[in-house]
Amino acid sequence: MIHMAKLLSDKEQKKAFKKIAEENPGKYYPITVLKQKGFIRKHCINCKKYFWTAVHTKETCGEPECNDGFTVVNNNPKKNHLSFIQVWKKIVEILEPRGYVPIKRYPVVARWNPTTEFTIASIAAFQPYVVSGEVPPPAKKLLIPQFCLRFGDIENVGITGSHCTGFVMIGQHQFVSPEEWDQDQAFRDIYDFLVDGVGLANTEFVIHEDAWAGAGCFGPCMEFFSRGVELFNQVYTLFQQTPEGPIGLNLKVLDMGLGMERVAWFSQGTPNIYEAIFPLVLQRIRERTKVELDYTLYNRFSQFSAFLNIDEVEDMNEAWARVGRELNIDPITLKEKIVPMTAVYSIAEHSRSLLFAITDGKLPSNVGGGYNLRVIFRRAISFIDQFNWDIDMGEVCEWHAEELFEIFPEISESLNEVKAILEIEKQKYYATKKEAEKIVKKLVKKEDITEEKLIELYDSNGINPELIKAAAAKLGKKIKIPDDFYGKVIARHEKIVQVHATNKKIDIDLTNIPDTKKLYFTDYSKTENSAKVLKIQKITHEIEDEEAEGEQMLKITAWAIVLDSSIAYPTSGGQLHDNGWINTIKFIDVIKLGGITIHILDQEPDFKEGDTVTLKIDRDRRKLLTQHHTATHIVNAAARKILGNHINQAGAKKTLEKAHLDITHYDSLTDEQVNQIEQVANELVSREIQSNIRFMERSEAESKYGMSLYQGGAVPGVSLRVVEIPDIDIEACGGTHVNNTREIGQIKIIKSQKIQDGIVRLTYTAGNATKALFEKNEKIKKKLSQILEVSPDELVARSQELLEKWRMLRKAMSTGDYSEYMTTLTIKEKDPDQSLHVLSRFFEISTDMLIGKIQKLKEEWETMRKEIQQIAIVVGEKNVEYLVENAKEVHNVKFIAAIYPNMDNKVLSNLGKALLKKVNSGLIFLIGSSPKGVNFIVMRGEKIKEYNLSKISKQFLQKVNGKGGGKPDSAQGFIQNYKEEPEKLFEIFQKLVFSSIELNK
Ligand SMILES: [Zn+2]
Ligand SMILES: [Zn+2]
């Protein structure tokens, strides 16, 4: 047994174990085999690492720093010349007879693995549950050609000659008991593949002793190096850390992941990795682009390509000049020759990654992993754009599918969709590029483009900073993109909730409480069970206020109850919990903690631990939630049928009133698409399909149905609850579901909205909720038809007419200039679409708010209709003439005063203007009176500038206790609750005017 400090970090653990293993290599490394094969143990004179070599004079370990760097392409002896696909066939040929089962690759979108978005290594296919021992592996010893994606080095692809964003990691894995574990043989298996299969002489590689640690487990490992390149690392995960110190694992895991691209490259000795892995695609691209190949130059160039790492280089031109000096070529010629070559490689490489990612269900977008896909797409297309090549990325994908058909036939299946998605991506690229240039041109003149501005442009215009950088560079401006740019953007975005599970923490002691028997798994329509009370505890509990919009929480005193079995559904998988009663006491929340269901009572229970009780749930609530949940599976399937195989669930929520499903799609949906999805969904419902719900071994379910099982995200546990609607949908799901699709009732999609780049939210009702919705809508229609005085199927045109005339009248209210057209509603037209949807979109409000909105419009329109006639009279020619004729002339001033009921200052001011056109020595005082008080305006003509109305009205307002103000030639105000005769105000004002003349004299 090994003795070490307790619970170290992975890094500390690795270091500590490496020391132990170094001192006793015979115990931890397969040295018997190594010696047999003619290897001896050496100590690197440079880095002091222990390594094994067949070249007995060798003193350095072969790491690039300790050796002469990277020398794959120099004097590389020809090996067995394996093509890319032959590498896989060869390892199968050698290892299959030794008991390794070749299995199919897993998707690159790691739906089953909660720790990673993309599959980044072959072992990730078996994380976390196979590796942890919870779930049996597909085979104890296996081989897998796992396509992986890593986006850490995008800018180096095509340049260094060895970098890829997508690669096949061949996994040699074992998941066996300590008795079955044979480390020497595992080592011999991979060694034989390398020497006999690939044809690498044993003098061509060295093997390092090392250690590995991760997730609390650790073990020794052997790293294979050749010509400065790590070929692979064979890891033996044998031990586990515990508080009592390390112990041997019951499940020994062999983790060897070998880059298929690298092996093909070594075996063929091609000038770079790309030439070895997709020669057919490269040949076709070259036929189109006529790019000449100069391998010698490319090889010399790749040795210095690190100088062009754009993350580190300040001045790109200087960097090219530097490489040129090294190669003794002038930089312009160098660039002209090299850039097209690197472009060809990048286009080929990026297309391959996109092909796998899109096929497996990830779309280019602005968010998360989808963003990486957009970045590589744009990098590739900007090359095509720059050189004006006749190349289509979708077509390149087609070539890849053809070249890889023998090993990955599945990627040919969704080619048309991949092409359609890339076509849209292309259009987006050109559109944003154009916009970026326009915006940057404008911005560069005005201001510096700050980080804040970059984020804003990205968020609101969808222009990524690389395009802005490029556009600015054209204008001679340099822009710095912050390192964590996309992190900052993502932090701003709304999160999509995939699992609507409660994160509620409950302070409850569950020691020795067994998992609850969950009776809802078997039949959703059962609503009652009897059970034994295992635990009662008084707690403080937070409940979601379901009535309130948003996440309002209420804190209450409550009792947590655990039973040995329960029919009640706890909030999980996006489905809300049941409500119900234990005996006669109501429970208001149900929560899942591990395998235990906890019922929350808001009253003290009348039973005690050990009692047998009866649990009943609210049937109607359960039925609604169940209809909405199965409808969600159906809508998902219908959307996939209409929109394509790229549709996957990105999130979902099911409540009583409605449900929503977030789907992965690259564009907003058209009305037609939404209607089609609804139609297909209802067709599926009407087929009366019996659902098939059962528990299955995880590995069996995965191999039978594939990883698209995990629509609701990763699910823990050895066995999965598989919800199958035969021929339509299969998901691993813990929710309650109908037994027959007919029970879902009618599905009505009420809204479709793009909530994020690449994500569309469909909101819908099913069954009883749809009935309730229709009833409610009928009521709304009936009420609207009363308000609008048309029949319920003529609402749309009439509503539009009302809004139009309301607007016209409102405009006419200050001038009095109206026509009869505005004061009558005449349009009667049958609505082509009988739903309230059209109205709700027209007014941009929800259907619930339509009555309020339209009623208000109608009332306002009615009021204006009455008032406008009065206004027209007041502002009209006749009234103006009348007032002018009756003006009182005092001290060369024509004094005009009038009072009108319910007339606002806007109208009065228009009347004032009309009056002053006729009398330029006029002084106008107009009052509008209403129950609230009086408003007034004063104005004067051109000829009597000596009267300062701003001053006079100030004195006036003080006297009458009003509010207001103005300029020397006009002023206005309001006197609240003015109870006396308005005529009195004239007198007061007149006096003030005259006294101001006295003062001026
Ligand atoms: Zn070394
Ligand atoms: Zn589900």
Side-chain angles (χ1 to χ4, degrees):
M1 197 64 258
I2 330 158
H3 295 282
M4 275 182 287
K6 289 174 184 180
L7 288 186
L8 305 169
S9 73
D10 287 340
K11 218 173 153 186
E12 291 164 341
Q13 178 68 74
K14 176 181 160 155
K15 212 174 143 193
F17 180 70
K18 200 174 160 186
K19 227 173 149 208
I20 292 165
E22 247 172 36
E23 282 160 17
N24 196 352
K27 187 167 175 189
Y28 298 105
Y29 298 106
I31 68 169
T32 324
V33 189
L34 279 163
K35 282 177 182 165
Q36 267 171 17
K37 303 282 184 190
F39 280 68
I40 59 165
R41 194 178 192 228
K42 288 264 184 167
H43 203 205
C44 176
I45 52 165
N46 194 17
C47 71
K48 314 294 177 210
K49 209 176 253 172
Y50 284 101
F51 67 97
W52 292 78
T53 174
V55 183
H56 294 187
T57 52
K58 200 166 169 50
E59 299 296 341
T60 51
C61 69
E63 286 258 32
E65 306 89 71
C66 300
N67 214 350
D68 344 305
F70 176 69
T71 54
V72 184
V73 291
N74 299 332
N75 313 313
N76 201 349
K78 279 262 191 308
K79 320 284 165 28
N80 287 354
H81 209 94
L82 299 177
S83 73
F84 185 59
I85 289 173
Q86 279 167 343
V87 173
W88 169 247
K89 287 178 154 176
K90 191 55 117 183
I91 196 167
V92 171
E93 181 192 312
I94 295 178
L95 267 58
E96 197 175 19
R98 301 184 188 192
Y100 291 85
V101 179
I103 67 166
K104 272 198 202 150
R105 74 173 179 100
Y106 281 44
V108 290
V109 183
R111 295 189 163 274
W112 66 92
N113 186 335
T115 63
T116 177
E117 188 168 7
F118 290 120
T119 309
I120 53 165
S122 59
I123 194 72
F126 310 104
Q127 284 166 332
Y129 304 112
V130 172
V131 171
S132 69
E134 281 174 68
V135 167
K140 283 185 173 182
K141 292 165 79 176
L142 60 83
L143 293 170
I144 181 171
Q146 182 56 48
F147 198 87
C148 302
L149 288 173
R150 289 187 195 176
F151 296 103
D153 271 312
I154 296 172
E155 298 295 341
N156 288 327
V157 174
I159 303 227
T160 60
S162 66
H163 276 92
C164 293
T165 56
F167 57 95
V168 176
M169 186 183 274
I170 296 183
Q172 174 206 14
H173 295 298
Q174 293 190 18
F175 309 94
V176 297
S177 67
E179 297 74 44
E180 294 162 310
W181 178 248
D182 185 347
Q183 190 171 336
D184 281 359
Q185 187 55 45
F187 178 81
R188 195 175 286 125
D189 294 338
I190 198 66
Y191 180 94
D192 291 350
F193 164 68
L194 200 60
V195 175
D196 302 338
V198 183
L200 212 63
N202 68 359
T203 50
E204 274 284 319
F205 57 92
V206 296
I207 302 164
H208 294 183
E209 291 177 9
D210 208 345
W212 176 90
C217 298
F218 63 94
C221 63
M222 304 242 76
E223 286 176 316
F224 286 63
F225 274 84
S226 179
R227 293 178 173 255
V229 175
E230 185 190 328
L231 287 179
F232 55 84
N233 189 4
Q234 194 175 46
V235 178
Y236 318 100
T237 312
L238 306 176
F239 308 105
Q240 181 183 19
Q241 291 194 59
T242 72
E244 287 73 41
I247 55 164
L249 281 165
N250 287 330
L251 183 77
K252 307 290 183 196
V253 177
L254 175 68
D255 178 12
M256 191 295 304
L258 163 156
M260 193 156 129
E261 286 76 6
R262 256 184 199 183
V263 174
W265 179 25
F266 270 72
S267 167
Q268 295 174 37
T270 48
N272 58 49
I273 204 164
Y274 315 113
E275 299 290 342
I277 59 181
F278 31 62
L280 174 86
V281 172
L282 290 177
Q283 183 202 324
R284 296 221 175 128
I285 297 181
R286 281 178 187 134
E287 278 164 17
R288 289 279 175 84
T289 60
K290 313 278 185 251
V291 170
E292 276 176 51
L293 259 181
D294 185 342
Y295 283 146
T296 325
L297 177 64
Y298 184 87
N299 293 340
R300 287 175 64 212
F301 163 80
S302 14
Q303 293 175 33
F304 300 101
S305 54
F307 295 167
L308 294 169
N309 190 331
I310 66 153
D311 296 331
E312 284 156 25
V313 174
E314 270 296 302
D315 182 345
M316 214 53 192
N317 286 330
E318 173 45 35
W320 278 99
R322 189 175 163 201
V323 178
R325 280 195 298 275
E326 295 282 353
L327 302 176
N328 206 11
I329 305 174
D330 81 276
I332 293 166
T333 315
L334 175 68
K335 218 169 152 178
E336 273 171 4
K337 286 193 150 173
I338 287 294
V339 175
M341 283 194 262
T342 63
V344 167
Y345 293 138
S346 300
I347 292 164
E349 200 284 333
H350 293 339
S351 303
R352 195 172 70 142
S353 295
L354 287 162
L355 171 61
F356 276 91
I358 297 171
T359 300
D360 290 353
K362 194 89 203 166
L363 306 187
S365 75
N366 280 346
V367 198
Y371 186 73
N372 291 318
L373 300 180
R374 175 159 290 166
V375 169
I376 59 170
F377 177 84
R378 293 204 166 170
R379 182 166 183 263
I381 200 164
S382 65
F383 283 126
I384 296 174
D385 190 21
Q386 182 185 342
F387 295 112
N388 206 9
W389 282 337
D390 172 27
I391 299 237
D392 179 72
M393 298 272 287
E395 208 181 352
V396 180
C397 287
E398 205 172 336
W399 299 335
H400 276 299
E402 187 186 331
E403 190 158 22
L404 292 168
F405 186 80
E406 199 181 343
I407 168 168
F408 300 126
E410 71 280 6
I411 55 170
S412 292
E413 280 165 25
S414 309
L415 260 180
N416 285 338
E417 264 181 270
V418 172
K419 285 165 93 174
I421 287 164
L422 291 179
E423 182 57 35
I424 286 180
E425 205 46 33
K426 181 165 121 187
Q427 288 162 12
K428 281 184 186 163
Y429 167 80
Y430 283 109
T432 40
K433 186 188 156 199
K434 222 169 153 187
E435 212 186 330
E437 281 173 1
K438 245 177 22 202
I439 289 178
V440 170
K441 230 179 230 170
K442 243 195 262 166
L443 277 178
V444 162
K445 277 183 214 151
K446 277 195 294 190
E447 53 185 312
D448 276 339
I449 300 176
T450 57
E451 179 182 319
E452 197 47 39
K453 193 78 207 167
L454 283 178
I455 293 179
E456 189 197 314
L457 286 171
Y458 183 79
D459 238 14
S460 47
N461 305 59
I463 303 173
N464 51 334
E466 289 82 4
L467 279 177
I468 294 173
K469 193 175 174 175
K474 272 192 187 170
L475 301 169
K477 275 252 177 172
K478 230 183 125 175
I479 284 173
K480 184 155 168 39
I481 304 168
D483 292 337
D484 55 345
F485 181 82
Y486 297 104
K488 283 180 174 159
V489 173
I490 288 162
R492 280 186 161 200
H493 279 251
E494 182 194 345
K495 265 202 172 155
I496 298 178
V497 184
Q498 170 66 317
V499 181
H500 181 74
T502 2
N503 298 319
K504 291 173 189 169
K505 282 192 189 104
I506 291 193
D507 196 15
I508 181 167
D509 177 19
L510 294 172
T511 324
N512 296 328
I513 302 277
D515 283 1
T516 311
K517 218 172 148 201
K518 294 173 194 70
L519 304 172
Y520 60 83
F521 275 154
T522 40
D523 182 2
Y524 89 95
S525 58
K526 264 198 200 144
T527 52
E528 194 176 324
N529 77 289
S530 89
K532 208 171 122 188
V533 181
L534 301 182
K535 179 96 190 169
I536 299 177
Q537 190 165 319
K538 192 171 170 183
I539 55 163
T540 305
H541 186 59
E542 282 197 332
I543 51 165
E544 215 167 301
D545 192 349
E546 276 171 33
E547 306 297 314
E549 275 294 311
E551 306 264 291
Q552 293 228 10
M553 301 302 275
L554 301 171
K555 259 194 184 157
I556 56 162
T557 299
W559 286 262
I561 313 292
V562 181
L563 308 174
D564 64 344
S565 66
S566 175
I567 201 85
Y569 186 81
T571 299
S572 55
Q575 180 180 336
L576 271 183
H577 60 86
D578 286 322
N579 284 344
W581 302 264
I582 299 178
N583 286 351
T584 55
I585 316 273
K586 205 166 176 194
F587 60 86
I588 48 157
D589 200 354
V590 187
I591 291 161
K592 195 170 81 173
L593 276 185
I596 297 170
T597 304
I598 298 169
H599 311 76
I600 308 293
L601 270 52
D602 63 353
Q603 287 174 54
E604 194 167 356
D606 58 357
F607 47 83
K608 53 188 192 306
E609 287 175 12
D611 282 1
T612 298
V613 291
T614 306
L615 182 144
K616 254 188 255 173
I617 56 159
D618 179 337
R619 272 166 205 272
D620 293 341
R621 181 182 169 99
R622 160 65 68 88
K623 178 133 200 214
L624 281 165
L625 291 169
T626 302
Q627 285 174 323
H628 277 150
H629 199 145
T630 314
T632 299
H633 289 213
I634 294 272
V635 171
N636 195 5
R640 198 170 304 123
K641 221 165 188 174
I642 297 300
L643 304 171
N645 276 325
H646 62 281
I647 296 299
N648 277 289
Q649 175 176 326
K653 186 170 178 177
K654 303 102 189 176
T655 64
L656 298 173
E657 196 198 356
K658 62 192 178 208
H660 74 234
L661 169 72
D662 298 335
I663 53 171
T664 50
H665 187 61
Y666 43 78
D667 211 350
S668 304
L669 301 188
T670 62
D671 285 352
E672 203 195 335
Q673 286 170 324
V674 173
N675 288 340
Q676 282 175 332
I677 293 169
E678 185 183 294
Q679 203 182 335
V680 168
N682 283 309
E683 262 168 42
L684 297 177
V685 168
S686 69
R687 276 204 241 151
E688 307 204 345
I689 304 159
Q690 201 66 24
S691 53
N692 177 13
I693 302 172
R694 67 220 183 272
F695 280 92
M696 278 177 92
E697 284 280 299
R698 176 185 289 269
S699 39
E700 190 198 340
E702 285 179 356
S703 68
K704 202 163 170 192
Y705 304 120
M707 294 298 166
S708 63
L709 268 179
Y710 302 111
Q711 289 294 308
V715 187
V718 187
S719 67
L720 297 181
R721 183 167 181 261
V722 176
V723 176
E724 178 182 16
I725 305 167
D727 297 328
I728 293 171
D729 184 75
I730 300 177
E731 295 181 28
C733 174
T736 61
H737 286 281
V738 299
N739 298 321
N740 185 301
T741 55
R742 104 172 72 85
E743 295 159 44
I744 295 171
Q746 189 173 355
I747 294 173
K748 178 77 199 158
I749 299 180
I750 48 181
K751 201 167 162 192
S752 139
Q753 111 207 80
K754 186 173 154 185
I755 57 164
Q756 206 181 64
D757 197 26
I759 307 279
V760 173
R761 173 168 295 174
L762 290 169
T763 306
Y764 43 87
T765 56
N768 295 349
T770 302
K771 270 190 212 155
L773 175 78
F774 283 170
E775 278 164 23
K776 197 173 84 186
N777 284 353
E778 281 314 305
K779 275 187 197 152
I780 294 174
K781 279 192 195 170
K782 215 171 150 194
K783 180 76 193 162
L784 287 178
S785 92
Q786 280 166 8
I787 297 170
L788 292 167
E789 296 164 79
V790 285
S791 71
D793 53 3
E794 297 169 334
L795 295 171
V796 174
R798 177 54 69 90
S799 302
Q800 288 167 346
E801 183 190 16
L802 173 64
L803 182 65
E804 188 201 352
K805 293 185 175 176
W806 177 89
R807 282 191 178 134
M808 289 172 139
L809 266 186
R810 194 177 55 167
K811 216 174 147 196
M813 287 297 278
S814 53
T815 59
D817 187 9
Y818 80 105
S819 65
E820 203 181 313
Y821 175 77
M822 304 175 199
T823 58
T824 46
L825 295 175
T826 53
I827 296 180
K828 282 190 167 212
E829 250 173 55
K830 285 254 182 294
D831 304 336
D833 184 345
Q834 295 298 316
S835 74
L836 289 171
H837 196 68
V838 183
L839 275 183
S840 132
R841 214 161 30 175
F842 178 71
F843 287 109
E844 293 175 340
I845 53 173
S846 72
T847 46
D848 289 341
M849 291 160 75
L850 281 173
I851 293 179
K853 171 88 187 174
I854 291 175
Q855 187 145 36
K856 188 162 170 261
L857 274 180
K858 179 79 184 310
E859 280 166 10
E860 285 174 1
W861 175 79
E862 301 264 15
T863 313
M864 289 191 290
R865 193 166 67 143
K866 279 179 210 143
E867 287 174 0
I868 192 81
Q869 297 171 10
Q870 195 59 37
I871 290 168
I873 294 170
V874 170
V875 187
E877 191 80 1
K878 271 191 183 163
N879 191 36
V880 170
E881 267 168 30
Y882 170 82
L883 288 171
V884 170
E885 273 166 29
N886 289 287
K888 273 187 212 159
E889 191 163 339
V890 192
H891 297 298
N892 295 329
V893 172
K894 284 202 167 168
F895 206 86
I896 302 174
I899 303 168
Y900 300 102
N902 298 319
M903 211 51 71
D904 66 23
N905 281 345
K906 234 181 182 173
V907 179
L908 296 178
S909 143
N910 277 319
L911 173 58
K913 278 179 204 157
L915 289 166
L916 288 178
K917 268 187 196 158
K918 306 240 164 182
V919 270
N920 51 19
S921 62
L923 201 152
I924 321 277
F925 188 93
L926 300 171
I927 291 178
S929 73
S930 76
K932 285 184 197 159
V934 300
N935 53 285
F936 70 91
I937 62 144
V938 290
M939 295 167 93
R940 64 151 162 71
E942 284 275 306
K943 265 197 165 171
I944 47 170
K945 286 196 170 139
E946 59 271 33
Y947 297 98
N948 186 334
L949 294 184
S950 151
K951 274 188 190 163
I952 298 169
S953 66
K954 210 171 177 182
Q955 293 168 348
F956 173 73
L957 286 164
Q958 256 173 13
K959 263 208 156 91
V960 299
N961 201 15
K963 277 180 185 161
K967 294 177 288 182
D969 64 343
S970 74
Q972 53 179 298
F974 180 70
I975 310 155
Q976 210 175 0
N977 295 323
Y978 184 77
K979 294 279 187 272
E980 293 177 59
E981 289 295 311
E983 285 82 358
K984 273 200 165 175
L985 292 171
F986 289 148
E987 286 167 29
I988 299 169
F989 189 76
Q990 227 168 1
K991 264 185 199 162
L992 283 171
V993 171
F994 293 143
S995 67
S996 88
I997 298 170
E998 301 297 318
L999 280 174
N1000 283 346
K1001 276 179 181 170

